[in-house]
Amino acid sequence: MNEAVALTQATIPFRFSGHESFACRYAWLPKAYRAIAANPSIFFDEELAMVELGIGKNMVRSLRFWVDVMGIASPEGLKRHQLTEFGQAVFGPEGFDPFLEDERTLWLLHWNVSSRTSSALFAWHYMVGQWPYPEFTRSEALEAFKRQSAKLGHKHSEVTLAQHLDVFIHTYHTNKSGKVGVEDSLDGPLVDLNLLIPTGERRGEAGRWETVYSFRREAKPEITSLMFEYCVLDYWERTSPDEKTLVLRSVASAPCSPGQVFKLPEEDVRSRLEDISQAGNRGFSYQPSAVQGLLTRQAGTRPTLAKIYEEDLLHA
């Protein structure tokens, strides 16, 4: 029985910086798409980008980072960006969600940034994929960052690690109250997923009260069947492209897997796989087992981004 290749921290090159301490903001990605579509070299001329985008130099660098890690565009050769299939499908002239109004787009953005196995973001890989406890405070996570960073042979300062952690937290949790317009919001689009929830407070080692966070681990019907299948196959292709089979445990709980990235209970993952398999003519079949369920690749129809938006419209 083949199993997905283990994704260990020792084999993945991580990024700890590049976001310039800014979480991605709501209006940034649509604006970046339009800028790159008009001028693929825009982000390689910071002075021009500042004028065209109306943001400061550090924000230009941050937005370039988020365009890459959220899968909107990728560097192509020298000083150019190439818009991705995902970027075109969402924000293009016939795009399905050019203003980030569809929750499915937000989950796909979360998938893009959290499931990366190339130039992965350390905070996402560790906190989303490997954090071993049901909850955490900022100081607890920061201490873990220090230990893990040292184990990987890095010599990052506490300031760098703290900024990286804060960007992760602020990506999913608002740091203010009250309602403001999307354009004026300092929050990012992934805050609306309510994936990271404050559950109380407790005293840290310094004696100060800290917010306690936990991930919303529950079945999420807003993650539709086609989207889940799309992510399973995407994960399979990037982690075990030559494997014909994959065990349930890999899909449900391995780092970068759909079950772990979306924080789904194993029973929900199993139920989703059974439903997809029973539908027939899909990208994989699933064989339940009392010991360990098994997925097998099939030659059936695989979901495209267009299908996710069009065929799932009735279930949105």
Side-chain angles (χ1 to χ4, degrees), residues 4-304:
V5 175
L7 294 171
T8 66
Q9 291 183 335
T11 59
I12 296 179
F14 289 111
R15 299 173 73 172
F16 291 79
S17 59
H19 40 62
E20 301 290 323
S21 78
F22 293 106
C24 185
R25 297 184 180 180
Y26 226 114
W28 278 8
L29 296 181
K31 186 180 294 187
Y33 172 87
R34 294 192 295 269
I36 293 172
N39 179 1
S41 299
I42 184 74
F43 280 98
F44 296 91
D45 185 338
E46 292 182 348
E47 298 299 326
L48 177 61
M50 290 168 60
V51 173
E52 293 294 325
L53 297 170
I55 56 179
K57 183 174 292 188
N58 286 350
M59 287 187 177
V60 167
R61 294 171 180 172
S62 179
L63 181 48
R64 177 178 168 182
F65 169 90
W66 290 114
V67 160
D68 178 14
V69 301
M70 287 195 169
I72 309 305
S74 57
E76 178 191 48
L78 295 176
K79 298 185 177 182
R80 285 177 61 88
H81 270 109
Q82 174 68 44
L83 293 166
T84 63
E85 177 188 357
F86 174 78
Q88 295 276 23
V90 173
F91 299 111
E94 303 298 326
F96 295 106
D97 189 23
F99 302 108
L100 291 180
E101 298 171 318
D102 192 320
E103 191 173 11
R104 289 169 296 186
T105 306
L106 307 186
W107 281 114
L108 287 169
L109 289 171
H110 169 67
W111 171 255
N112 288 346
V113 71
S114 301
S115 66
R116 294 176 64 88
T117 54
S118 175
S119 297
L121 275 63
F122 174 79
W124 273 255
H125 186 87
Y126 185 61
M127 297 305 297
V128 175
Q130 296 190 329
W131 183 254
Y133 309 109
E135 58 189 24
F136 68 91
T137 65
R138 181 182 182 277
S139 63
E140 290 167 350
L142 183 56
E143 287 303 312
F145 274 30
K146 294 176 188 177
R147 293 192 299 270
Q148 294 298 322
S149 176
K151 284 182 182 178
L152 292 169
H154 298 292
K155 297 181 179 179
H156 295 297
S157 69
E158 181 171 336
V159 171
T160 295
L161 296 175
Q163 288 178 342
H164 191 48
L165 173 60
D166 287 342
V167 167
F168 170 79
I169 292 173
H170 293 156
T171 296
Y172 296 97
H173 177 62
T174 181
N175 57 358
K176 67 178 188 310
S177 60
K179 295 281 188 179
V180 295
V182 168
E183 281 288 343
D184 298 322
S185 175
L186 298 182
D187 286 338
L190 304 191
V191 167
D192 288 347
L193 297 178
N194 294 315
L195 187 65
L196 190 62
I197 302 172
T199 55
E201 292 185 331
R202 64 169 168 252
R203 289 188 186 274
E205 291 185 2
R208 291 179 295 183
W209 288 96
E210 293 187 86
T211 301
V212 178
Y213 299 99
S214 64
F215 290 103
R216 179 168 62 93
R217 184 176 287 277
E218 62 184 20
K220 299 177 177 68
E222 65 270 27
I223 298 172
T224 61
S225 178
L226 282 176
M227 186 193 303
F228 185 76
E229 182 184 358
Y230 172 91
C231 293
V232 168
L233 292 169
D234 181 41
Y235 166 74
W236 200 331
E237 186 62 32
R238 287 186 289 108
T239 62
S240 306
D242 299 324
E243 302 291 342
K244 299 300 182 183
T245 60
L246 206 62
V247 296
L248 170 64
R249 182 174 58 251
S250 296
V251 177
S253 59
C256 304
S257 69
Q260 190 73 328
V261 167
F262 294 134
K263 296 301 178 186
L264 301 173
E266 184 173 315
E267 181 55 39
D268 184 64
V269 172
R270 183 184 294 109
S271 176
R272 286 171 176 272
L273 295 175
E274 290 174 352
D275 290 346
I276 290 169
S277 184
Q278 290 172 5
N281 191 33
R282 306 296 282 266
F284 59 82
S285 63
Y286 174 69
Q287 181 61 48
S289 168
V291 179
Q292 182 65 269
L294 186 69
L295 290 76
T296 303
R297 284 184 188 268
Q298 300 291 327
T301 301
R302 300 188 177 190
T304 62

